[in-house]
Amino acid sequence: MHPQRWGDPAAASALPESARGLIELVFGIDEKPSAQGAVPPEPVIGADGVAALAAVVGDEHVLLDDATRALRTRGKSTPDLLRARAGDLGDAPDVVVRPADQGEIERLLAVAVAHNLAVVPFGGGTSVTGGLVAARAAYDGVVSLDLVRMKALVSVDRESMTATLEPGLRGPEAEALLSEHGLTLGHYPQSFQYASIGGFAATRSSGQSSAGYGRFDALVVGLSVVTPSGTISAGSAPASAAGPDLRQVFLGSEGTLGVITSVTVRVRELPAVKEYVGWRWPSFDAGAAAMRTLAQAGLLPTVIRLSDEAETAINLADPSAIGQDNPGCLMITGFEGAPSAVAARRRAVSALLIELGGVDLGEEPGEKWAHGRFDAPYLRDSLLDVGVLVETLETATFWSNRARLYADVKAALETSLGEGSIVLCHISHVYETGCSLYFTIAAKEQDDPLAQWSVAKAAASDAMIAAGATITHHHAVGTDHKPWFAQEIGPVGVQVLRAIKSSLDPAGVLNPGVLV
Amino acid sequence: MHPQRWGDPAAASALPESARGLIELVFGIDEKPSAQGAVPPEPVIGADGVAALAAVVGDEHVLLDDATRALRTRGKSTPDLLRARAGDLGDAPDVVVRPADQGEIERLLAVAVAHNLAVVPFGGGTSVTGGLVAARAAYDGVVSLDLVRMKALVSVDRESMTATLEPGLRGPEAEALLSEHGLTLGHYPQSFQYASIGGFAATRSSGQSSAGYGRFDALVVGLSVVTPSGTISAGSAPASAAGPDLRQVFLGSEGTLGVITSVTVRVRELPAVKEYVGWRWPSFDAGAAAMRTLAQAGLLPTVIRLSDEAETAINLADPSAIGQDNPGCLMITGFEGAPSAVAARRRAVSALLIELGGVDLGEEPGEKWAHGRFDAPYLRDSLLDVGVLVETLETATFWSNRARLYADVKAALETSLGEGSIVLCHISHVYETGCSLYFTIAAKEQDDPLAQWSVAKAAASDAMIAAGATITHHHAVGTDHKPWFAQEIGPVGVQVLRAIKSSLDPAGVLNPGVLV
């Protein structure tokens, strides 16, 4: 990826003229060119540290050049992009190291402890919560531990329907290897094209098909983790009553407790059929109630998402179906699997949705969503180019608290971003007991867009915690959510995590400053 | 409960004459009367400790009498019963304390730390793994913290389909309170009639309807736990990416990290219909393969269990259907829910099972199983009365390892128990990726039945760990599984649990000697 933008430059597209017209009308166009030729600071790591790292992985896998370090700088949140666009690469690692296997990682962590080097495990680099920014003050250098060489499909267990994957595999790479066996993971977060298996596990990612395939943490049946105190393999059965579930300690640990070196996941047959169908609801409340009914009836499609009135209007699927004269909310339902199972599930879901007041819009809006499902990050870059700040945040709560949480976070964002800002929301992950809420904001960039967003983000986060919701449903904690995470889990929760951290990583070399 | 027997004496029945004849034939009848009039040792706790406890809960809730202490002695494993039958109540607590609420528990833990008292949280007393036997040597007394007064249904959230329950509620009490709201937990382990909500959570219980309702740990969306370092409430959303899942640290913690004071669980509508159907399979392998196919097709009934050839023969459901001339394995499938959902699911499951070679035996064997589903522990007492040792143990693994695990554990038990012993097995919990194996053994009691069982249990446990399986699918670790649990999670796993324990309970007063 480019340090200042999302994804593959060849896949990025300029803002369409029609959209540009709309943007000009709403926000005004204010071209914001990115700084050119920015380079990261000189590496501060000592020669003995570099030599010790090279002794483990070989000289060719210890990289100190500016371009490589620039590409491992921070993640892909809007603040990350704003800093990079302004030419600030101050958080660049001092060195990028690429181990070949678990044994090398074990030895690299020993080197890090011996040489007082902070270690930031690096997968796809798609963090949007500051998960790749080590607090460097106390260390003699920051190592980006790039897992790019660990991309094997280690094994497939067709009978148990599990597969063991190395952490450096990106989403499409993992799917390509599994598809050779007729299998799929079915995990499609918006970052799918770049994010990695290790990152999915370390951050408890959830994909757009979570209703059908499950969150990533629910797919994991086992994982291996290298810590400075030794290596652990957790997960000896599909389910167990043998004590606390240690898998759940390392899932979501964001590189602070160890480096995930393999993940064994539940897999499914590659779906023969994929069908996406749009539905119209008279209101966000009505659509959300329908989602709840489906979830509690055990009748979820593979994909289900519902845009609120504002998001529906902006992302207008079909002006004749949902538009100014016919306000409402767009729901997308997706069905994947064997033809007979898809037909049966689609029939049952459709019957229930019609009974609840939904209007079937056919496959066109569904296909349109499916076609563009990974494109939003590119659009964000195009909007930043014309001075429009775009960012997302998300949370989750129980059904009975959904309406309050929605209203409170929306109000917090609108109030703090001020007049002329746009706040959109959708529900894209549902459970028997509750759902996620995913907000997208757009606002005209002010003189200090970082400060502008920081105020809004804090107001939204405060509203989440005040409502008793979680600070993040699938974006993880990183550095950005840290203060609110501590409020969410309370002092005893923080104490538990610190105790585990101190025990496994007494020197504190692993991703310092992240999580707790 | 009686200290020497299971459950309600009024519900216990003498061995039927027909069974007695069979037992005589196989093992010989060897009447083993229980010791009469055994009393626990004198309490060793000092008067100041008792006074401090009483200052928290009131004199009437601090009980030192023999009968009360005898009933809180150990759990209900066969070794526990054998010791009690022999008159050994040496592990009795010194005092039984009954707090009214979370605040009292917080103050009781402070008293325990100040007076160096071990604290054993007590719910239903149905542990079968030595989970209620504190290592008392280092303490100035053992307190049984009986949660019997904490039996409230705290709240019901009809929209989110969750309920918050106090830990002292026994299975039937919780179901009775929920049924007033038209709801059910659907959690029916064999210990259902006595086991408690707090115990279900502390031991990761799994019920006979786990295929339909989920394991208990999967039902928990939140819980509150009092530790000597403070109280924590974990679980702010149905799912979250906010760090490690702290609920999963306290689930399965078996009273060693804190006292669970409330549990918020997912609930379901009370089923309008319950149908149980028997199926015959030509072999255990064929039946297991069918279970796997159902699980991986997402077509599980509410209840599914499969007896191996030996268990099928012993528990002969219908001699004309499955018997000497027609060997095979009995499967029970159960369907619970709304009539239309039950009909649809039963139809789909039946079609698949017939396609796979199953023979529909109709509802009679199913109803027979459902009728006697909680009776086995009473039968065990009757068999102990006539000198037949009966015990159970269980494990779980991935599908590809099932046949090996079954063969290895069965061989380990048969070899160590010697000629004339009986080893039965069934699968009663299935997942997409694997299943549980539940073994029942019967053998003629030798002179030292405790030693006799100890050898067999160790051999079976060694076989589980050697096969890479878990030491327990739903019975927990307690003291009995501790050595194998340490092997299962490895030294880094043990280190993590010790670090949490040392941080939350630095004085080590909570259930010492259990888990790690």
Side-chain angles (χ1 to χ4, degrees):
Chain A
M1 283 200 220
H2 190 284
Q4 298 174 349
R5 304 180 82 84
W6 176 262
D8 177 5
S13 54
L15 213 53
E17 268 313 308
S18 59
R20 198 179 161 91
L22 184 65
I23 300 300
E24 185 153 24
L25 193 69
V26 178
F27 300 108
I29 295 282
D30 188 7
E31 304 283 353
K32 296 271 185 182
S34 295
Q36 297 299 312
V39 291
E42 280 296 299
V44 298
I45 187 170
D48 56 338
V50 173
L53 296 168
V56 176
V57 296
D59 287 336
E60 69 275 35
H61 296 299
V62 177
L63 307 167
L64 292 144
D65 65 283
D66 289 346
T68 301
R69 293 189 299 120
L71 282 170
R72 306 290 175 281
T73 306
R74 308 188 190 103
K76 293 293 170 186
S77 69
T78 294
D80 289 344
L81 297 181
L82 286 169
R83 288 189 191 97
R85 293 167 75 98
D88 170 7
L89 295 175
D91 289 316
D94 297 297
V95 60
V96 176
V97 176
R98 304 191 302 210
D101 56 31
Q102 179 169 299
E104 288 191 359
I105 294 174
E106 290 170 350
R107 291 157 61 203
L108 286 173
L109 291 194
V111 168
V113 171
H115 291 265
N116 191 38
L117 303 173
V119 175
V120 183
F122 187 93
T126 59
S127 169
V128 289
T129 58
L132 300 168
V133 185
R136 59 184 312 143
Y139 301 88
D140 296 325
V142 174
V143 177
S144 177
L145 191 77
D146 191 338
L147 298 160
V148 68
R149 292 170 66 205
M150 293 178 65
K151 286 185 186 272
L153 170 57
V154 179
S155 61
V156 170
D157 179 346
R158 207 79 184 50
E159 188 175 355
S160 307
M161 290 297 273
T162 62
T164 300
L165 301 162
E166 283 194 328
L169 284 166
R170 293 186 170 190
E173 294 167 340
E175 286 295 339
L177 289 171
L178 289 170
S179 73
E180 291 172 18
H181 299 263
L183 300 172
T184 181
L185 193 51
H187 184 68
Y188 298 105
Q190 200 169 60
S191 60
F192 168 74
Q193 293 167 322
Y194 298 93
S196 68
I197 293 295
F200 292 152
T203 62
R204 295 182 178 271
S205 170
S206 190
Q208 294 165 354
S209 310
S210 67
Y213 294 98
R215 298 168 58 81
F216 196 81
D217 50 16
L219 302 182
V220 174
V221 297
L223 74 176
S224 294
V225 186
V226 174
T227 82
S229 297
T231 297
I232 180 171
S233 287
S236 42
S240 170
D245 189 344
L246 293 169
R247 297 173 300 191
Q248 300 289 338
V249 168
F250 293 100
L251 290 166
S253 63
E254 302 189 23
T256 63
L257 302 180
V259 181
I260 295 168
T261 53
S262 81
V263 184
T264 302
V265 287
R266 190 188 75 203
V267 292
R268 296 262 175 88
E269 303 279 350
L270 267 178
V273 175
K274 296 188 180 190
E275 297 175 3
Y276 304 101
V277 185
W279 291 82
R280 186 183 66 214
W281 296 91
S283 67
F284 194 47
D285 284 347
M291 285 176 137
R292 177 172 68 82
T293 303
L294 286 177
Q296 293 176 351
L299 262 185
L300 283 174
T302 312
V303 172
I304 186 159
R305 54 190 288 131
L306 173 75
S307 295
D308 71 354
E309 289 83 354
E311 187 173 288
T312 301
I314 291 280
N315 293 331
L316 214 55
D318 175 358
S320 67
I322 304 180
Q324 302 291 65
D325 299 338
N326 193 359
C329 289
L330 177 67
M331 174 188 281
I332 303 293
T333 56
F335 303 86
E336 301 181 7
S340 61
V342 163
R345 180 54 61 113
R346 182 172 170 179
R347 201 162 43 234
V349 168
S350 296
L352 192 48
L353 293 184
I354 287 169
E355 190 184 317
L356 294 168
V359 175
D360 188 337
L361 302 177
E363 298 195 0
E364 198 188 317
E367 294 303 330
K368 189 172 163 189
W369 167 79
H371 183 73
R373 62 199 285 191
F374 304 125
D375 292 349
Y378 289 110
L379 180 62
R380 181 177 57 163
D381 287 328
S382 304
L383 289 167
L384 286 171
D385 288 341
V386 296
V388 178
L389 184 77
V390 178
E391 184 55 305
T392 65
L393 46 76
E394 37 79 70
T395 176
T397 192
F398 299 101
W399 288 115
S400 60
N401 196 40
R402 180 200 58 80
R404 178 207 164 169
L405 181 64
Y406 172 71
D408 289 1
V409 174
K410 190 175 159 78
L413 288 168
E414 287 174 343
T415 304
S416 53
L417 289 167
E419 214 162 316
S421 63
I422 291 174
V423 178
L424 318 175
C425 182
H426 65 251
I427 298 172
S428 48
H429 306 268
V430 304
Y431 306 90
E432 283 187 60
T433 58
C435 67
S436 68
L437 290 177
Y438 188 98
F439 292 88
T440 302
I441 66 96
K444 186 168 175 61
E445 257 187 50
Q446 295 167 358
D447 290 345
D448 184 350
L450 283 168
Q452 178 188 3
W453 174 240
S454 173
V455 170
K457 171 81 176 177
S461 300
D462 286 345
M464 290 174 196
I465 296 299
T470 182
I471 189 65
T472 173
H473 171 267
H474 59 271
H475 280 174
V477 175
T479 47
D480 296 355
H481 290 151
K482 216 167 112 173
W484 294 278
F485 175 56
Q487 292 179 56
E488 181 176 339
I489 64 173
V492 176
V494 170
Q495 182 179 330
V496 168
L497 296 183
R498 289 214 172 118
I500 302 170
K501 169 81 174 173
S502 301
S503 174
L504 295 181
D505 180 22
V509 297
L510 283 167
N511 222 1
V514 167
L515 206 59
V516 285
Chain B
M1 284 200 220
H2 192 283
Q4 298 174 348
R5 303 181 81 84
W6 176 262
D8 177 6
S13 55
L15 212 53
E17 269 312 307
S18 59
R20 197 179 163 92
L22 184 66
I23 301 299
E24 184 152 24
L25 194 69
V26 177
F27 300 108
I29 294 281
D30 187 6
E31 303 284 352
K32 296 269 185 183
S34 295
Q36 297 299 313
V39 290
E42 280 295 300
V44 298
I45 187 170
D48 56 339
V50 172
L53 296 168
V56 176
V57 295
D59 287 336
E60 68 276 34
H61 297 299
V62 177
L63 306 168
L64 292 145
D65 65 282
D66 289 345
T68 301
R69 293 189 300 120
L71 283 170
R72 305 291 176 280
T73 305
R74 309 190 190 100
K76 293 293 170 187
S77 69
T78 295
D80 288 344
L81 297 180
L82 287 169
R83 289 190 189 95
R85 293 167 74 97
D88 170 8
L89 296 174
D91 289 315
D94 297 297
V95 59
V96 176
V97 176
R98 304 190 303 208
D101 56 31
Q102 179 169 300
E104 288 191 359
I105 293 174
E106 290 170 349
R107 290 158 60 205
L108 286 173
L109 291 195
V111 168
V113 170
H115 291 265
N116 192 37
L117 303 173
V119 175
V120 182
F122 188 93
T126 59
S127 170
V128 289
T129 57
L132 300 167
V133 186
R136 58 183 313 142
Y139 301 87
D140 296 325
V142 173
V143 178
S144 178
L145 190 77
D146 191 339
L147 298 160
V148 68
R149 291 170 67 205
M150 294 178 66
K151 286 184 186 273
L153 171 56
V154 179
S155 62
V156 170
D157 179 345
R158 206 79 184 50
E159 189 176 354
S160 308
M161 289 296 273
T162 63
T164 300
L165 302 161
E166 282 195 328
L169 284 167
R170 293 186 171 190
E173 294 167 341
E175 286 295 339
L177 289 170
L178 289 170
S179 73
E180 291 173 18
H181 299 264
L183 300 172
T184 180
L185 194 50
H187 184 68
Y188 298 105
Q190 200 169 61
S191 60
F192 168 74
Q193 294 166 322
Y194 297 93
S196 66
I197 293 295
F200 293 151
T203 63
R204 294 182 178 270
S205 171
S206 189
Q208 294 165 354
S209 310
S210 66
Y213 294 98
R215 299 168 57 81
F216 195 82
D217 50 15
L219 302 182
V220 174
V221 297
L223 74 177
S224 294
V225 185
V226 174
T227 82
S229 298
T231 297
I232 179 170
S233 287
S236 41
S240 171
D245 188 344
L246 293 169
R247 298 173 300 192
Q248 300 289 337
V249 167
F250 294 99
L251 290 166
S253 64
E254 302 187 24
T256 64
L257 302 180
V259 181
I260 295 169
T261 52
S262 81
V263 184
T264 302
V265 287
R266 190 190 75 203
V267 292
R268 296 261 174 88
E269 303 279 351
L270 266 177
V273 175
K274 296 187 180 190
E275 297 175 3
Y276 304 101
V277 185
W279 290 81
R280 186 182 67 215
W281 295 91
S283 67
F284 195 47
D285 283 348
M291 287 176 136
R292 177 171 68 84
T293 303
L294 286 178
Q296 293 177 349
L299 262 185
L300 284 174
T302 313
V303 173
I304 186 158
R305 53 189 290 131
L306 173 74
S307 295
D308 71 355
E309 289 83 353
E311 187 173 287
T312 301
I314 291 279
N315 293 331
L316 214 54
D318 175 356
S320 67
I322 304 181
Q324 301 292 65
D325 300 338
N326 193 358
C329 289
L330 177 66
M331 174 188 280
I332 303 293
T333 55
F335 303 86
E336 301 181 7
S340 61
V342 162
R345 182 53 60 113
R346 182 172 170 181
R347 201 162 43 234
V349 169
S350 296
L352 191 48
L353 293 184
I354 288 169
E355 190 184 318
L356 294 168
V359 175
D360 188 336
L361 303 176
E363 298 196 359
E364 198 188 317
E367 294 303 329
K368 189 172 163 187
W369 167 79
H371 184 71
R373 62 197 288 191
F374 304 123
D375 292 349
Y378 290 110
L379 180 63
R380 182 177 56 164
D381 287 329
S382 304
L383 289 167
L384 287 172
D385 288 340
V386 297
V388 178
L389 185 77
V390 178
E391 185 55 307
T392 64
L393 48 76
E394 37 79 70
T395 176
T397 193
F398 298 101
W399 288 115
S400 60
N401 197 40
R402 181 201 57 80
R404 178 207 164 167
L405 180 64
Y406 172 70
D408 289 0
V409 174
K410 189 174 160 77
L413 288 167
E414 286 175 342
T415 303
S416 53
L417 289 167
E419 214 161 318
S421 63
I422 290 174
V423 178
L424 318 175
C425 183
H426 65 251
I427 297 172
S428 47
H429 306 269
V430 304
Y431 306 89
E432 283 187 60
T433 59
C435 67
S436 68
L437 290 176
Y438 188 97
F439 292 89
T440 303
I441 66 97
K444 185 167 176 62
E445 257 187 50
Q446 295 168 359
D447 290 345
D448 184 349
L450 282 168
Q452 178 189 2
W453 174 241
S454 172
V455 169
K457 171 80 176 175
S461 300
D462 287 344
M464 290 174 196
I465 296 300
T470 182
I471 189 65
T472 173
H473 172 267
H474 59 270
H475 280 175
V477 175
T479 48
D480 297 355
H481 290 152
K482 216 167 112 173
W484 294 279
F485 175 56
Q487 291 178 57
E488 181 176 339
I489 64 173
V492 176
V494 170
Q495 182 179 330
V496 168
L497 296 183
R498 289 215 171 118
I500 302 170
K501 169 81 172 171
S502 301
S503 174
L504 294 181
D505 180 22
V509 297
L510 282 167
N511 222 1
V514 167
L515 206 58
V516 284

